[in-house]
């Protein structure tokens, strides 16, 4: 059974039970033993609900069409794979901003070890500097792996050494920082691979009943399109970082975490119009920034758009460009919603992707073309009726492109 159908059924069941007075991000349905049929099935009587405000509640969705669909889905899974794992469904894209997580002591040490090991590969270091960073990485990793109880005094020396090398040893960590740390980890582990992968991709799954990014099922993707399983990334350090990341960016059915080994283009101007989060060599379709918006959610996309007005940019030859001066460069929330719904309706299922970044920018791509919609609040000098790039009034310009805005 398709995930989109289950999401629709889940939303209807929540509405019927009046069980979602707050916005819902994900549902997790665990498995249980069906004594009547002597087989595993999904436990629709105790469904975990994660809300946009970070709180968790539980709801009974038994005796609904959603529960019947879950039974059918369980039978399909058991017949095809012989096993049944918990299921997490994404009902909403989640909040645009989230409070940071507080990593435990082991995870903090693993984070330090990842950054120290990556720093040891920096160009221009002498032998003693490389050795000192490598020793710090080894000791932090070894302590995290073998010491179950880590009192605060034991962390103090590591905090001092981290500060001396200008390395992170954070008490709090954002989703962006944890993703960057995971990217550093896989990039360092791929250092001697030939050819070097373009990206390492991790599927969503579960550890026990908790949603997780599965490092043991990591897939490497190369520039020529080749893909392959790679066990080297299944390390305690990366798993700890991913476990903390999963509390902020909850993995759901069908999600993949793409960790690109290349960097996005440098932002030399600091302008939102010039900012490009797409890593070198990747397409917008492959590297959608922020949280994925499902096709089902696009039907009510106006509820997810937080700005009143947006500036559109089109992807051309690997860069973002403003439309020609004779085309509208700024759209209202209602206009953007209509454009996105129309794009969804004109595309075959699974051929178009949407996402919303943490700054509110919305991305759309069908693998052959892409566009993004930036809230005008990100462009301080934006004026209605003027080109956001060259600031010339549209009434005074010709039909050509704006040459001053990337």
């Amino acid at each position: 059974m398709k995930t989109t159908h289950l999401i629709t059924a889940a939303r209807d069941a929540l509405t019927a039970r009046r069980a979602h007075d707050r916005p819902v991000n994900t549902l997790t349905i665990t498995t249980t033993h069906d004594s009547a049929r002597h087989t595993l099935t999904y436990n629709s009587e105790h469904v975990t609900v994660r809300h946009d405000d970070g709180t968790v509640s539980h709801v009974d969705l038994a005796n609904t069409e959603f529960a019947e669909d879950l039974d059918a889905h369980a039978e399909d899974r058991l017949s095809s794979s012989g096993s049944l794992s918990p299921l997490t469904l994404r009902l909403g894209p989640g909040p645009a901003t989230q409070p940071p997580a507080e990593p435990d002591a082991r995870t903090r040490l693993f984070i330090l070890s990842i950054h120290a090991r990556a720093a040891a590969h920096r160009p221009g270091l002498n032998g003693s500097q490389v050795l000192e960073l490598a020793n710090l990485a080894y000791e932090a990793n070894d302590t995290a792996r073998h010491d179950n109880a880590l009192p605060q005094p034991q962390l103090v020396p590591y905090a001092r050494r981290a500060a001396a090398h200008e390395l992170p040893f954070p008490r709090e960590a954002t989703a962006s920082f944890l993703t960057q740390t995971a990217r550093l980890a896989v990039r360092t582990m791929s250092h001697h691979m030939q050819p070097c992968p373009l990206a390492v991709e991790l599927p969503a799954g579960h550890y026990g009943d908790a949603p997780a990014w599965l490092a043991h099922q990591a897939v490497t993707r190369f520039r020529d399109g080749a893909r392959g399983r790679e066990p080297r990334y299944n390390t305690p350090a990366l798993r700890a970082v991913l476990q903390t990341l999963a509390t902020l960016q909850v993995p759901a059915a069908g999600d993949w975490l793409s960790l690109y080994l290349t960097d996005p283009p440098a932002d030399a101007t600091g302008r939102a119009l010039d900012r490009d989060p797409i890593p070198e060599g990747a397409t917008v379709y492959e590297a959608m920034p922020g949280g994925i918006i499902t096709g089902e959610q696009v039907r009510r996309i106006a509820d997810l758009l937080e700005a009143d007005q947006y500036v559109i940019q089109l992807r051309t030859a690997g860069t973002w460009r403003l439309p020609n001066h004779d085309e509208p460069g700024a759209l209202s929330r209602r206009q953007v919603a209509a454009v996105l719904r129309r794009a969804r309706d004109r595309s075959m299922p699974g051929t178009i992707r949407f996402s919303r970044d943490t700054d509110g920018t919305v991305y759309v791509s069908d693998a052959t073309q892409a566009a993004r919609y930036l809230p005008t609040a990100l462009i301080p000098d934006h004026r209605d009726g003027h080109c956001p790039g060259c600031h010339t009034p549209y009434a005074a310009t010709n039909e050509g492109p704006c040459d001053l805005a990337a």
Side-chain angles (χ1 to χ4, degrees):
M1 184 171 294
K2 292 185 177 180
T3 302
T4 52
H5 178 85
L6 290 172
I7 291 172
T8 301
R11 191 176 284 115
D12 292 343
L14 287 172
T15 300
R17 294 291 169 90
R18 301 182 183 277
H20 64 306
D21 54 325
R22 292 164 291 165
V24 174
N25 183 8
T26 63
L27 297 183
T28 295
I29 308 97
T30 57
T31 60
T32 187
H33 186 265
D34 186 335
S35 56
R37 291 182 290 182
H38 304 288
T39 186
L40 283 175
T41 190
Y42 287 115
N43 184 5
S44 58
E45 296 181 356
H46 190 74
V47 176
T48 301
V49 181
R50 292 178 181 82
H51 300 275
D52 278 3
D53 60 8
T55 59
V56 176
S57 62
H58 298 88
V59 62
D60 182 355
L61 297 180
N63 301 316
T64 63
E65 289 188 15
F66 176 59
E68 296 175 3
D69 291 339
L70 283 175
D71 288 342
H73 185 64
E75 292 178 4
D76 291 345
R77 293 282 296 273
L78 287 169
S79 63
S80 62
S81 66
S83 62
L84 188 67
S85 59
L87 176 67
T88 295
L89 300 173
R90 187 177 310 285
L91 272 62
T97 58
Q98 291 178 305
E102 297 182 0
D104 59 24
R106 291 182 70 252
T107 303
R108 291 178 65 195
L109 286 169
F110 279 134
I111 289 172
L112 175 58
S113 72
I114 289 170
H115 283 265
R117 188 179 177 195
H121 289 272
R122 292 173 185 165
L125 299 180
N126 59 40
S128 62
Q129 291 172 319
V130 171
L131 182 60
E132 190 172 350
L133 287 166
N135 285 339
L136 175 56
Y138 173 82
E139 292 170 21
N141 186 287
D142 189 64
T143 301
R145 293 181 63 178
H146 298 105
D147 289 7
N148 293 324
L150 290 166
Q152 184 61 31
Q154 192 171 345
L155 300 179
V156 172
Y158 287 105
R160 290 173 180 162
R161 294 169 71 182
H165 292 284
E166 298 182 350
L167 298 173
F169 191 53
R171 294 179 181 272
E172 295 183 337
T174 64
S176 175
F177 170 79
L178 292 167
T179 302
Q180 172 66 5
T181 299
R183 193 171 73 88
L184 276 179
V186 300
R187 185 161 68 176
T188 305
M189 285 186 276
S190 307
H191 186 69
H192 296 294
M193 289 182 67
Q194 292 296 330
C196 187
L198 173 65
V200 175
E201 299 179 328
L202 312 172
H206 294 79
Y207 281 132
D209 292 338
W213 299 109
L214 304 181
H216 69 282
Q217 294 185 17
V219 174
T220 51
R221 181 157 55 85
F222 297 87
R223 291 181 183 272
D224 62 0
R227 300 167 69 91
R229 287 286 181 90
E230 179 52 68
R232 74 174 64 198
Y233 303 113
N234 186 24
T235 65
L238 181 57
R239 291 199 303 269
V241 171
L242 294 174
Q243 182 178 358
T244 306
L245 175 61
T247 65
L248 298 176
Q249 187 177 314
V250 181
D255 288 353
W256 285 82
L257 178 64
S258 295
L259 302 172
Y260 283 85
L261 276 61
T262 56
D263 293 314
D267 179 13
T269 67
R271 298 194 315 162
L273 291 172
D274 299 329
R275 201 171 301 136
D276 187 2
I278 309 302
E280 179 189 351
T283 66
V284 179
Y285 187 86
E286 297 167 339
M288 300 292 280
I292 294 297
I293 302 173
T294 67
E296 175 67 21
Q297 292 159 2
V298 175
R299 292 174 57 187
R300 292 180 297 277
I301 189 65
D303 297 336
L304 305 179
L305 299 176
E306 299 174 334
D308 293 325
Q309 196 173 30
Y310 290 81
V311 167
I312 181 175
Q313 284 186 300
L314 308 174
R315 189 74 167 176
T316 304
T319 60
W320 295 105
R321 295 283 180 182
L322 290 164
N324 288 351
H325 283 144
D326 59 329
E327 300 175 15
L331 301 176
S332 68
R333 171 169 29 186
R334 179 174 295 181
Q335 289 173 317
V336 172
V339 169
L340 296 177
R341 284 196 297 267
R342 194 157 53 243
R344 172 189 178 274
D345 293 342
R346 290 178 176 176
S347 302
M348 294 292 292
T351 63
I352 190 167
R353 301 182 73 193
F354 305 84
S355 75
R356 185 185 66 183
D357 208 351
T358 53
D359 62 3
T361 300
V362 177
Y363 291 79
V364 55
S365 175
D366 64 359
T368 61
Q369 54 188 351
R372 68 177 179 179
Y373 300 86
L374 298 88
T376 53
L378 299 177
I379 308 169
D381 50 4
H382 176 261
R383 296 169 61 191
D384 289 341
H386 292 66
C387 173
C390 61
H391 311 298
T392 305
Y394 284 123
T397 60
N398 296 319
E399 297 182 353
C402 173
D403 295 328
L404 300 181

